[in-house]
Amino acid sequence: RPRTLSGMQPTSDSLHLGNHLGALVNWVALQEQFDAFYFIADLHSLTVATDPELIRRRTRVTAAQYLAAGVDPERSTLFVQSHVSEHTELSWILSCQTGFGEASRMTQFKDKTAKGHAANVGLFTYPILMAADILLYDAAKVPVGEDQRQHLEITRDLAIRFNQRYGDTLVVPEPHIVKEGAKIQDLQDPTAKMSKSAASDKGLINLLDDPAKSAKKIRSAVTDTEAVVRYDPETKAGVSNLLTIHSVLSGTPVAELEAHFEGKMYGDLKKETAEVLVEWVTPFRDRANELLEDPAELDRILAAGAERAREVASATLGRVYDAVGLLRPA
Ligand code: ATP
Ligand code: MG
């Protein structure tokens, strides 16, 4: 099976509905077709200063949610980035292949610093660590959203350049274009995507929150004044977002929902969407909490994953060290 790889940073106490429907659902599906490597990007999360205890806790919390979503540790390799030291080692080698100007063109760094994030060098070299994450596992395809497209591009450039300079060593990854339909918008500001970094959390559905609280947020979602339940993200962003959420979670096509809600009010749409959410999120949350109640078992799963990841990663790093001419220890 071809390899794929993806990760998320442990930067919140709960994933949100957008993370789940936009990313985790795909990860679970990709397991069928790919030899998948899924990791918790704890090293990346250090680019923003965070309380150490919080990072540790969130690393487990994130892992538990991957598992609750259906990432199967028997089929896929689930691990913590910092448990596999090859990530930082390859990152150094790749740094020495990256032009300063090339790294300076990364828009995510420019955007974040423009927004006033204190810039450290780690944030600047973040795409190089990400390139190492991908290239270590000979990933043929990588699922990427719009925000990560440029980082995959530099990963490809680095692999191609490395291979030209040192001979065929690294697999050049292709983007895996994920089928659309699962982009979730903020419930209070439906023209913006649901994001953990939104100014207010009123429009954010956290999967580990009390489901009653999330139901309430859905019932308070911003809609419009037309009073017709119709899917049109351009002019009816709020209503369309609720239809998307309902549709994905209940498995009902949007057209069927439009027919179902014909002549009904937004209150009905909200009430039903809230019910669908509660029904779906309750077992997810129970499963994640169950895993978190046994951190030793969770750590064991992560240790086994790290061991498997290291086997692949150390072989790739060995090839790279040989290629660039580092003398290997006897
Ligand atoms: P930040 O605001 O810090 O970027 P985020 O809420 O966007 O946080 P990330 O950690 O950047 O979350 O994203 C993790 C994964 O979830 C990525 O694959 C991203 O594409 C996906 N994702 C995030 N928000 C949404 C959303 N609203 N709809 C669909 N997918 C999303
Ligand atoms: Mg994001």
Side-chain angles (χ1 to χ4, degrees), residues 94-117:
L94 295 175
S95 296
C96 299
Q97 313 293 326
T98 310
F100 192 81
E102 186 178 27
S104 308
R105 283 192 293 275
M106 294 294 113
T107 51
Q108 182 174 308
F109 176 78
K110 288 197 277 189
D111 290 349
K112 287 204 171 174
T113 48
K115 277 186 203 156
H117 279 270

Side-chain angles (χ1 to χ4, degrees), residues 106-109 126-127 130-131 134 147-156:
M106 294 294 113
T107 51
Q108 182 174 308
F109 176 78
Y126 179 109
M130 183 171 151
I134 296 169
D147 52 341
Q148 293 301 327
R149 192 172 288 272
Q150 199 189 26
H151 292 164
L152 184 65
E153 224 21 74
I154 198 176
T155 302
R156 289 172 49 82

Side-chain angles (χ1 to χ4, degrees), residues 4-307:
T4 189
L5 166 131
S6 203
M8 287 189 214
Q9 295 188 36
T11 43
S12 61
D13 289 321
S14 170
L15 296 180
H16 61 70
L17 193 61
N19 297 141
H20 191 280
L21 300 182
L24 282 183
V25 162
N26 285 309
W27 291 14
V28 172
L30 287 172
Q31 297 182 113
E32 308 287 336
Q33 223 183 308
F34 287 94
D35 178 17
F37 286 69
Y38 296 129
F39 67 104
I40 296 117
D42 58 343
L43 294 171
H44 284 284
S45 79
L46 295 178
T47 53
V48 177
T50 312
D51 172 51
E53 266 322 308
L54 211 52
I55 297 179
R56 241 187 305 275
R57 186 177 83 217
R58 288 172 169 177
T59 298
R60 286 201 185 102
V61 165
T62 304
Q65 290 176 98
Y66 289 1
L67 291 164
V71 168
D72 176 0
E74 299 296 324
R75 252 195 313 180
S76 302
T77 304
L78 168 64
F79 66 101
V80 177
Q81 187 185 27
S82 67
H83 293 182
V84 183
S85 58
E86 283 80 358
H87 288 249
T88 37
E89 296 175 86
L90 181 59
S91 172
W92 170 253
I93 305 289
L94 295 175
S95 296
C96 299
Q97 313 293 326
T98 310
F100 192 81
E102 186 178 27
S104 308
R105 283 192 293 275
M106 294 294 113
T107 51
Q108 182 174 308
F109 176 78
K110 288 197 277 189
D111 290 349
K112 287 204 171 174
T113 48
K115 277 186 203 156
H117 279 270
N120 55 54
V121 174
L123 191 64
F124 182 69
T125 58
Y126 179 109
I128 302 173
L129 181 57
M130 183 171 151
D133 299 336
I134 296 169
L135 297 176
L136 271 180
Y137 298 96
D138 295 334
K141 294 230 170 193
V142 187
V144 277
E146 209 39 61
D147 52 341
Q148 293 301 327
R149 192 172 288 272
Q150 199 189 26
H151 292 164
L152 184 65
E153 224 21 74
I154 198 176
T155 302
R156 289 172 49 82
D157 290 346
L158 285 170
I160 291 167
R161 186 178 314 148
F162 191 99
N163 290 343
Q164 277 168 353
R165 213 170 265 171
Y166 297 108
D168 253 349
T169 312
L170 298 169
V171 172
V172 181
E174 303 282 339
H176 180 81
I177 306 301
V178 211
K179 46 185 186 331
E180 55 109 23
K183 194 161 165 250
I184 306 301
Q185 304 297 105
D186 188 288
L187 296 172
Q188 287 300 317
D189 177 11
T191 56
K193 75 170 194 111
M194 186 176 283
S195 159
K196 61 173 174 268
S197 24
S200 147
D201 84 341
K202 288 202 175 69
L204 182 70
I205 300 289
N206 281 316
L207 302 179
L208 298 185
D209 277 355
D210 181 355
K213 180 176 168 186
S214 299
K216 203 166 162 196
K217 286 183 181 174
I218 297 246
R219 289 195 303 268
S220 319
V222 164
T223 48
D224 54 63
T225 53
E226 191 194 28
V228 177
V229 178
R230 185 164 54 82
Y231 184 82
D232 180 358
E234 292 298 316
T235 61
K236 295 172 73 66
V239 168
S240 302
N241 192 36
L242 291 173
L243 283 170
T244 299
I245 293 171
H246 188 316
S247 170
V248 182
L249 294 181
S250 68
T252 318
V254 166
E256 224 170 277
L257 290 176
E258 285 176 327
H260 169 71
F261 285 109
E262 206 184 317
K264 294 193 184 150
M265 312 220 268
Y266 287 163
D268 300 311
L269 169 65
K270 290 179 183 179
K271 185 163 163 282
E272 216 178 277
T273 305
E275 282 164 10
V276 165
L277 175 82
V278 169
E279 198 170 309
W280 172 82
V281 83
T282 303
F284 173 92
R285 178 173 177 260
D286 290 349
R287 178 72 189 123
N289 283 332
E290 197 183 305
L291 287 157
L292 289 167
E293 270 162 31
D294 190 356
E297 169 64 9
L298 196 54
D299 290 356
R300 208 189 46 74
I301 294 173
L302 292 172
E307 197 177 318

